Amino acid sequence: MASDYVLPNVPLPIRGPAERRTTIGVAAVERRARPPAFAAIDLGTNNCRMLVGVPSGGGFHVLDSFSRVVRLGEGLYRTGTLSDDAMDRAIGALSACAERLHRWQVSDIRAIATEACRQAENGAAFVARARAATGLPIETISPREEVGLAMESCASLINQAERRALLFDIGGGSTEIAWVRVPGPHGDTDRSLPQLIGYHTIPVGVVTLSERCAGCCESEMGFTAVVEEIKSLLRPFEQIHRIGQEIRQGGVRLIGTSGTVTTIAGIALNLDRYRRGAIDGAVLAREQVAGGLAAIRAMGPSGLAEHPCIGPDRVDFVLPGCAIFAAIEDMWPASELAVADRGLREGMLMRLIRNARAKPRRFQA
């Protein structure tokens, strides 16, 4: 039902870390009074992330969260396989997730792997090993499913567009693009949710690009060359859907969800530190976006490492991500950008909650 989604014009209601209580004693007390809990785990090319939440209004309330850099796709571009060290790091993070889940006794869980496991020759074997080692029902999803989950998490932002939305997610190993029809003013279920017109995925993300051409994005010539290469990968999708023409006609919203996009937004908004509340749902004019992108490119490696919205752990990925972003923005020059600090975990939780609500209730005499 439409009410199961985040209401239009309302950011996804996720509580901040200060509101989360995650000790075992507190959790045991809360379980007796709270609604059923759900868990979502996203094993990406660079990070392993988890959210545990309970339904709350049109969204959910976060009980627990976890994020760890695992670099699962490290060396994948060069070797075509996941390395032993990378797999060990990922299973260690998944084991930590499984241990944390014991305190919550979740009603349902979804655990997914994405591009690194799709690309790797040993991806399927690794997923089987991870399931056996952790007990988690981890599965490798398709690009189409990945796009659907991103749409699910960003439904409230998509619904604010007039006619169409172009949603993109710059990941570690791939970049997904979704061309979406915004629901009209109808009350029926089929027409009250965003509808996917078409999607496109390219096997280029911030990790694979940083390994393939380390440092090439630091020079003007190298950055421009990468942007043009990415645009060549996007052009077939543009030729099919004529999105540029739709943008010129008006009523199209560009929506970005990824660390690259939120970083550009943080710089464009001159934040002294990263604050999710100021980023998620922010709408930036094209000029603001250009200013943020230019500021990042002017910082240099040391400046990027020292900036509180970036930090040393992400230096290698920032400029490759900016090159992918610049290609998207160049191909489809919308007048403004809506920023989403949400992704696959949020989409999975929303879907789990929606599916649970749709199940018929047992009759009790």
Side-chain angles (χ1 to χ4, degrees), residues 133-341:
T134 65
L136 295 171
I138 187 166
E139 58 180 322
T140 302
I141 64 171
S142 67
R144 171 64 179 82
E145 176 76 356
E146 195 167 343
V147 165
L149 291 172
M151 284 177 57
E152 195 106 10
S153 68
C154 295
S156 64
L157 297 177
I158 293 172
N159 288 349
Q160 294 176 31
E162 294 179 25
R163 298 188 304 109
R164 302 281 190 271
L166 185 67
L167 173 66
F168 65 94
D169 183 359
I170 303 171
S174 65
T175 297
E176 275 69 44
I177 311 287
W179 181 227
V180 185
R181 179 181 294 109
V182 177
H186 305 283
D188 61 286
T189 301
D190 291 338
R191 296 186 178 180
S192 59
L193 305 178
Q195 297 177 329
L196 183 64
I197 301 171
Y199 75 95
H200 187 56
T201 183
I202 59 175
V204 180
V206 298
V207 175
T208 52
L209 189 53
S210 67
E211 290 192 351
R212 195 188 74 186
C213 53
C216 65
C217 291
E218 294 179 12
S219 70
E220 184 67 31
M221 182 178 298
F223 189 89
T224 300
V226 172
V227 169
E228 290 304 314
E229 181 182 345
I230 301 301
K231 286 173 65 177
S232 72
L233 299 175
L234 300 175
R235 200 162 284 120
F237 192 60
E238 163 62 20
Q239 291 172 346
I240 293 171
H241 295 285
R242 304 296 181 184
I243 299 169
Q245 180 177 333
E246 294 273 4
I247 290 175
R248 288 190 293 273
Q249 291 174 355
V252 176
R253 162 167 278 194
L254 186 65
I255 304 172
T257 169
S258 67
T260 295
V261 177
T262 56
T263 297
I264 292 173
I267 303 300
L269 293 172
N270 295 315
L271 299 183
D272 55 352
R273 59 182 177 82
Y274 188 85
R275 296 194 300 275
R276 183 184 184 279
I279 295 293
D280 186 53
V283 178
L284 304 181
R286 183 175 171 82
E287 295 74 19
Q288 286 180 285
V289 175
L293 188 60
I296 289 174
R297 295 186 58 198
M299 287 183 190
S302 60
L304 294 172
E306 294 171 1
H307 198 285
C309 287
I310 301 173
D313 292 340
R314 298 180 57 227
V315 168
D316 293 339
F317 307 134
V318 173
L319 289 178
C322 285
I324 298 171
F325 173 85
I328 294 171
E329 197 268 346
D330 217 27
M331 178 70 70
W332 298 299
S335 61
E336 60 183 28
L337 169 72
V339 182
D341 186 355

Side-chain angles (χ1 to χ4, degrees), residues 11 21 38 41 60 82 87 99 121 124 152 158 171 226 235 238 251 281 330:
R21 294 172 290 170
F38 300 88
I41 298 174
F60 56 83
L82 305 175
M87 291 188 289
E99 182 177 347
E121 296 175 8
E152 195 106 10
I158 293 172
V226 172
R235 200 162 284 120
E238 163 62 20
D330 217 27

